[in-house]
Amino acid sequence: MLFGMGNPLLDISAIVDKDFLDKYGLKANDQILADEKHKEIFEDMVKRFSVEYLAGGSTQNSMRVAQWMIGHPCKAATFFGCVGEDAFGATLRRKAEEAGVDARYQVTSSAATGSCAVCVTGDNRSLVANLAAANGYVKEQHLDLPENWALVQKARVYYIAGFFMTVSPDSMMAVATLAAKQNKPFCLNLSAPFLAQHYGAELSRLLPYVDVLFGNETEAATFARERGFETEDIEVISKKAQALPKQNTARPRLVVFTQGKDPTVVANGKEVRLFSVLPIKPEEIIDTNGAGDAFVGGFLSKLVMECPLEECIRAGHYTANTVIRRSGCTLPALPDFH
Ligand code: 26A
């Protein structure tokens, strides 16, 4: 039913302090790719703080959450990505399996499974991804294989976080054009400010194929700045993004911007609507890592059932609220959503 493709990462999560963020030049709330100056962050984190290892990777998180909401059938969600031949890769595979997700990994022997340092301070989290093997996803060696492409063709809804633009924009284009041809929804997430800033060409190529565009308030603001929207008003930004040219005119684009505890903004071409999130006491928040992914997972679980927009949003708010009460993007045994 649901197809996702992205970077399978093992999250290494800890509550850190401001000194640690400063040492590696991190903002309290951000998502970035690791570079030279982050080389020691993983080891340093393990040495200095009490760390937790959790299944991560943005799209894979959303697939796990969507599958959890869907329940039966098992393997309603399929996920493609690249891992290494190591213990982290095996852990990711096991977590996907436990979640009922049909994870079909490309396996490379030339790099270690990707990981992501999740540096939690209060309600904020700063993510530093070392893609490693995830960066080795090759369209011709995986997506194009007949048995894999058959799964793509079968799906009803497609979701790929913008993060994958740094790895295989061609794979994303192949899925996006198929979706348009078959009049099925292709959903994209802005994922992080650095993508609108540094992957503008890839984003521009994909946007005409995007039926549902997700993002949060920071990503929306950066996207608007990069595209010269000349406004900081999130409702106006959602309207302008909604109105960008579209390939498949049979399906009006939906733009969905979350804003943490503030209402979710949705533009559908006719109007902009605001949807309040579920209330939560600050002391009930464990960490916000994965909240956005969980929102998307909940939303998609209802989109595949062709539920009305209100129901998709309500499910997204429920899954996000569930995940922020827990460490990382993890879930209780069964959903309590009615
Ligand atoms: C390319 N980058 C930077 C990334 C990521 C990423 N997933 C894919 N690509 N950077 C962080 N993440 C994941 O985002 C989740 C929280 O939204 C982390 O692994 C984390 O599980």
Side-chain angles (χ1 to χ4, degrees):
M1 281 190 227
L2 179 60
F3 174 81
M5 181 164 58
N7 303 322
L9 305 177
L10 194 78
D11 286 353
I12 305 175
S13 177
I15 298 171
V16 303
D17 50 32
K18 173 118 188 359
D19 279 355
F20 190 78
L21 295 182
D22 291 345
K23 179 172 175 190
Y24 293 99
L26 305 178
K27 293 184 194 146
N29 228 344
D30 205 2
Q31 296 103 301
I32 60 165
L33 280 169
D35 62 29
E36 267 307 294
K37 63 178 172 302
H38 305 115
K39 253 173 67 191
E40 265 131 48
I41 191 168
F42 294 91
E43 229 180 282
D44 200 9
M45 204 171 175
V46 174
K47 244 191 267 159
R48 284 174 50 186
F49 304 99
S50 134
V51 301
E52 267 185 285
Y53 294 87
L54 302 154
S58 182
T59 303
Q60 186 168 242
N61 286 341
S62 298
M63 292 302 115
R64 284 192 295 111
V65 172
Q67 179 66 55
W68 177 74
M69 285 290 275
I70 294 168
H72 296 286
C74 192
K75 298 195 173 176
T78 297
F79 176 77
F80 289 1
C82 186
V83 298
E85 282 176 53
D86 48 24
F88 278 10
T91 301
L92 287 180
R93 198 184 286 280
R94 184 167 44 82
K95 293 282 179 191
E97 225 161 72
E98 283 168 9
V101 172
D102 184 23
R104 309 264 173 150
Y105 296 136
Q106 180 186 341
V107 180
T108 175
S109 54
S110 54
T113 297
S115 49
C116 181
V118 179
C119 312
V120 178
T121 48
D123 289 353
N124 297 315
R125 88 283 178 270
S126 204
L127 309 179
V128 184
N130 173 27
L131 295 187
N135 210 16
Y137 189 85
V138 179
K139 178 174 173 288
E140 292 72 19
Q141 291 171 16
H142 193 266
L143 185 68
D144 291 349
L145 300 184
E147 67 270 29
N148 291 337
W149 188 246
L151 289 170
V152 181
Q153 283 178 307
K154 246 176 53 186
R156 280 195 236 152
V157 172
Y158 302 92
Y159 173 69
I160 307 180
F163 282 130
F164 206 52
M165 289 192 297
T166 73
V167 173
S168 186
D170 287 348
S171 296
M172 295 174 78
M173 277 307 288
V175 173
T177 47
L178 175 79
K181 228 183 281 158
Q182 300 189 343
N183 191 25
K184 296 177 191 167
F186 176 79
C187 316
L188 180 78
N189 202 315
L190 292 175
S191 292
F194 84 86
L195 294 162
Q197 287 163 336
H198 305 299
Y199 290 82
E202 288 81 357
L203 193 52
S204 294
R205 202 150 66 96
L206 278 163
L207 275 171
Y209 295 90
V210 176
D211 295 289
V212 185
L213 182 67
F214 294 105
N216 67 23
E217 71 278 33
T218 334
E219 292 146 16
T222 315
F223 178 73
R225 212 173 309 126
E226 293 298 320
R227 302 201 67 100
F229 282 0
E230 291 184 347
T231 177
E232 285 174 13
D233 181 328
I234 191 155
E235 293 184 39
V236 181
I237 298 171
S238 71
K239 234 185 189 161
K240 291 195 175 223
Q242 197 286 330
L244 290 171
K246 195 159 182 306
Q247 178 74 20
N248 174 11
T249 47
R251 203 177 266 285
R253 178 181 294 123
L254 205 61
V255 174
V256 184
F257 289 150
T258 57
Q259 314 188 72
K261 63 180 181 355
D262 294 327
T264 299
V265 179
V266 182
N268 65 3
K270 289 197 206 101
E271 55 186 353
V272 177
R273 294 171 67 187
L274 297 181
F275 295 86
S276 300
V277 302
L278 293 168
I280 186 163
K281 296 195 193 92
E283 65 269 23
E284 289 172 338
I285 300 180
I286 300 292
D287 85 57
T288 55
N289 177 29
D293 302 334
F295 172 82
V296 169
F299 187 102
L300 295 175
S301 73
K302 297 298 168 187
L303 188 68
V304 291
M305 307 298 181
E306 296 179 16
C307 293
L309 169 69
E310 294 76 12
E311 194 62 3
C312 299
I313 298 280
R314 198 167 72 83
H317 286 165
Y318 165 72
T319 44
N321 183 277
T322 303
V323 160
I324 60 182
R325 292 168 188 274
R326 307 168 60 90
S327 202
C329 194
T330 62
L331 299 156
L334 289 170
D336 181 20
F337 180 77
H338 308 281

